[in-house]
């Protein structure tokens, strides 16, 4: 019989009062446990970027490269990017409001028709009412400002009225806004007697895009200020996290994000500045000013004023969503309407506010759309309701409510417009364009459902 007490163990020496740990080794009682190694994080995890946002940016880049190849290099030219930008603004502005509507578990099918009514009201105000009834001469400095104010009041009142029907009379939003789609489109027709109204006020038309830009110098100034503002916002968020003891990214990750934002903003400005104003237009402008255009002179368009308007709307809507009580109430109601009402939120009044905001944004979009066209036409805003809803959904707004981002909706609008513009440049027929857009919308919802299931979201 072998004396096992004399054998030397192959592991660590026996220790009195030792407690075996997970791997079978003994440790002293009360001794600090061996710290576990932190799991290694990937580069993207360390940057802590929104994976959905990265996916949308990647999809946009692939889409742009595909159309660049199919159009023999015409898609990513400064001219086309400039046109693509000003064409996106109108839908993108309304998409930011549609985020709030869908987050609260509603839908608005009337936005295109409401845009048409606001456009008709503003066109009649500046071409008929103010000159004929109030005696203001065409070109008077007050005409565009009064016109925009009237349009905003019109859109807000109509939106609030629809919200009242939904919130206080409990009529489903689908029915109310479906009726609004038919009603407001034909109200616009009766206001103008079915005529195209124009030309519009020159100052008013500067808000449409090509008729109003910052020029190259002011565009660079705006770009630098935008980069500084973005860096300041990110740095302030980092300091707030540190002050409250939250985890922050490594400094190299912060600097990487800063650099990416700076390159994106300044690169965008450089592309818009590279689109030069046609020489004949410069000659006409010089002639009107009584000057002679210097030989070899050239000038770039720069950032359109309508893009500045979109940026302003995006900033305001983001602040409302993240920093105000109204924004918290909107997302809380969308997450669980019954719990929100039981917690004291007036969900009926909240519905009125959300649709009033949507109406005001439709009026702002009407300014941009009619100013870009230089007139009001009967078909303005046609099918915009579908484009706006698609932009919000593609941008990650959940149809089940409670989730959505403003920047996602804007990027969704850009993807939608890029898809349509690219197909038009390739020569795809309009019916097939609608087939592709519809297919993309359904695919985006399917991808969103799969993503939320894998992420454990509702």
């Amino acid at each position: 019989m072998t004396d096992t007490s004399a054998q030397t163990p192959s592991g660590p020496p026996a220790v009195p009062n030792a407690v075996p740990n997970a791997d079978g080794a003994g440790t002293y009682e009360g001794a600090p446990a061996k710290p576990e190694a932190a799991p290694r994080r990937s580069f993207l995890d360390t940057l802590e970027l929104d994976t959905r946002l990265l996916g949308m940016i990647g999809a946009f880049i692939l889409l742009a490269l595909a159309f660049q190849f199919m159009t023999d290099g015409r898609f990513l030219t400064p001219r086309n990017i400039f046109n693509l930008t000003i064409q996106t603004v109108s839908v993108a502005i309304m998409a930011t409001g549609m985020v709030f509507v869908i987050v609260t578990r509603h839908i608005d099918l009337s936005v295109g028709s409401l845009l048409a009514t606001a456009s008709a009201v503003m066109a009649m105000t500046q071409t008929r009412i103010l000159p004929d009834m109030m005696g203001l001469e065409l070109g008077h400095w007050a005409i565009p400002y009064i016109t925009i104010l009237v349009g905003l009041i019109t859109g807000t009142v109509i939106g609030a009225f629809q919200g009242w029907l939904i919130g206080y009379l409990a009529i489903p939003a689908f029915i109310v806004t479906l009726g609004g789609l038919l009603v407001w489109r034909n109200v616009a027709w009766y206001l103008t007697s079915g005529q195209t109204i124009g030309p519009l006020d020159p100052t008013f038309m500067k808000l449409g895009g090509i008729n109003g830009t910052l020029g190259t110098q002011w565009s660079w100034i705006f770009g630098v200020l935008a980069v500084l503002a973005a860096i300041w916002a990110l740095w302030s968020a980092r300091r707030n996290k540190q002050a409250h003891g939250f985890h922050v990214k490594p400094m190299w990750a912060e600097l990487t994000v800063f650099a990416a934002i700076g390159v994106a903003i300044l690169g965008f400005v450089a592309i818009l500045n590279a689109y030069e104003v046609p020489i004949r237009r410069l000659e006409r402008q010089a002639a009107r000013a009584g000057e002679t255009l210097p030989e070899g002179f050239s000038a770039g368009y720069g950032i359109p004023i309508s893009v500045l308007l979109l940026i302003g709307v995006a900033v305001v809507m983001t602040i409302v969503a993240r920093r105000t009580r109204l924004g918290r109430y909107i997302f809380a109601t969308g997450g669980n309407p019954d719990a929100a009402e039981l917690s004291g939120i007036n969900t009926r009044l909240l519905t009125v506010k959300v649709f009033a905001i949507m109406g005001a944004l439709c009026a702002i979009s009407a300014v941009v759309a009619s100013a870009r066209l230089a007139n009001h036409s009967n078909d303005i805003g046609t099918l915009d309701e579908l484009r706006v809803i698609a932009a919000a959904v593609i941008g990650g707004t959940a149809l089940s409510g409670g989730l959505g981002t403003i920047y996602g909706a804007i990027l969704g609008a850009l993807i939608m417009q890029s898809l349509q513009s690219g197909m038009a440049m390739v020569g795809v027929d309009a019916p097939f364009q609608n087939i592709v857009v519809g297919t993309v919308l359904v695919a985006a919802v399917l991808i969103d459902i799969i993503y939320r299931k894998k992420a454990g979201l509702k």
Side-chain angles (χ1 to χ4, degrees):
M1 184 174 181
T2 308
D3 185 5
T4 58
S5 62
Q7 293 180 351
T8 303
S10 58
V15 179
N17 301 322
V19 179
N21 58 21
D23 59 4
T27 59
Y28 287 107
E29 285 186 351
K34 182 180 179 181
E36 296 183 1
R40 298 187 64 180
R41 306 177 70 191
S42 66
F43 178 75
L44 292 179
D45 289 339
T46 305
L47 293 179
E48 297 180 5
L49 297 177
D50 186 354
T51 55
R52 183 192 298 275
L53 175 63
L54 292 176
M56 292 175 62
I57 293 175
F60 172 72
I61 293 174
L62 291 176
L63 189 68
L65 293 176
F67 282 128
Q68 176 74 356
F69 173 76
M70 289 188 288
T71 58
D72 297 326
R74 291 182 291 119
F75 187 79
L76 292 179
T77 60
R79 176 180 179 179
N80 189 60
I81 292 177
F82 181 93
N83 292 329
L84 181 64
T85 301
I86 61 177
Q87 291 167 1
T88 303
V89 171
S90 177
V91 170
I93 289 175
M94 291 188 288
T96 63
M98 189 62 72
V99 171
F100 284 1
V101 172
I102 297 178
V103 161
T104 52
R105 303 191 179 189
H106 294 300
I107 200 72
D108 193 343
L109 301 176
S110 67
V111 292
S113 300
L114 182 48
L115 181 150
T117 297
S119 175
V121 168
M122 288 188 289
M124 295 298 293
T125 298
Q126 62 186 291
T127 60
R128 307 282 176 84
I129 297 175
L130 292 179
D132 298 343
M133 296 184 180
M134 299 185 64
L136 295 180
E137 297 180 358
L138 293 176
H140 191 280
W141 68 268
I143 287 180
Y145 304 103
I146 296 175
T147 297
I148 294 172
L149 179 61
V150 171
L152 284 173
I153 293 173
T154 300
T156 304
V157 169
I158 294 176
F161 173 67
Q162 294 189 149
W164 178 76
L165 294 175
I166 297 165
Y168 285 91
L169 299 187
I171 305 175
F174 180 87
I175 299 301
V176 171
T177 58
L178 180 61
L181 181 149
L182 301 174
V183 169
W184 304 121
R185 172 65 60 182
N186 291 283
V187 165
W189 191 93
Y190 276 108
L191 286 173
T192 61
S193 300
Q195 299 176 352
T196 297
I197 306 299
L200 303 180
D201 181 85
T203 303
F204 182 88
M205 288 193 295
K206 289 182 178 180
L207 296 172
I210 199 164
N211 293 312
T213 60
L214 293 183
T216 55
Q217 182 177 358
W218 282 104
S219 295
W220 281 122
I221 293 174
F222 176 82
V224 172
L225 292 177
V227 171
L228 294 177
I231 292 176
W232 177 82
L234 292 174
W235 187 254
S236 297
R238 177 185 176 88
R239 290 178 62 87
N240 287 335
K241 287 182 179 180
Q242 289 176 326
H244 292 86
F246 290 106
H247 167 75
V248 295
K249 291 180 284 190
M251 184 55 65
W252 68 264
E254 294 283 9
L255 294 177
T256 301
V257 174
F258 293 165
I261 292 175
V263 170
I265 294 175
L266 297 180
F268 177 68
V269 173
I271 291 173
L272 296 183
N273 283 345
Y275 180 31
E276 295 186 353
V277 182
I279 189 66
R280 292 182 179 179
R281 183 170 184 174
L282 292 175
E283 290 174 348
R284 289 196 300 267
Q285 292 175 351
R288 284 196 297 266
E291 300 174 353
T292 302
L293 191 69
E295 185 177 353
F297 179 81
S298 64
Y301 279 104
I303 300 176
I305 295 177
S306 60
V307 173
L308 299 182
L309 186 60
L310 172 60
I311 293 172
V313 168
V315 170
V316 171
M317 293 293 285
T318 301
I319 292 174
V320 170
R322 295 184 176 183
R323 300 294 180 89
T324 67
R325 180 183 300 176
L326 175 62
R328 291 192 293 270
Y329 284 1
I330 288 172
F331 283 87
T333 301
N336 193 327
D338 295 332
E341 191 167 0
L342 290 173
S343 65
I345 298 176
N346 188 341
T347 55
R348 294 182 177 183
L349 180 59
L350 182 68
T351 301
V352 175
K353 292 179 180 179
V354 167
F355 278 88
I357 292 173
M358 186 74 254
L361 292 173
C362 288
I364 296 174
S365 293
V367 173
V368 174
S370 59
R372 182 168 63 87
L373 299 174
N375 57 63
H376 165 80
S377 59
N378 288 324
D379 62 347
I380 191 171
T382 301
L383 293 181
D384 272 4
E385 51 276 342
L386 303 183
R387 297 186 183 97
V388 170
I389 294 172
V393 172
I394 290 174
T397 303
L399 291 172
S400 58
L403 293 172
T405 59
I406 302 301
Y407 63 80
I410 294 174
L411 188 54
L414 180 60
I415 291 175
M416 289 290 297
Q417 188 59 52
S418 300
L419 189 63
Q420 289 188 310
S421 297
M423 287 190 293
M425 293 178 68
V426 173
V428 177
D429 294 336
F432 190 73
Q433 290 182 29
N434 292 330
I435 291 174
V436 173
V437 171
T439 303
V440 169
L441 175 59
V442 175
V445 175
L446 176 61
I447 293 172
D448 181 72
I449 292 173
I450 296 173
Y451 172 82
R452 294 185 190 283
K453 285 183 178 180
K454 288 185 176 182
L457 302 174
K458 294 183 179 180

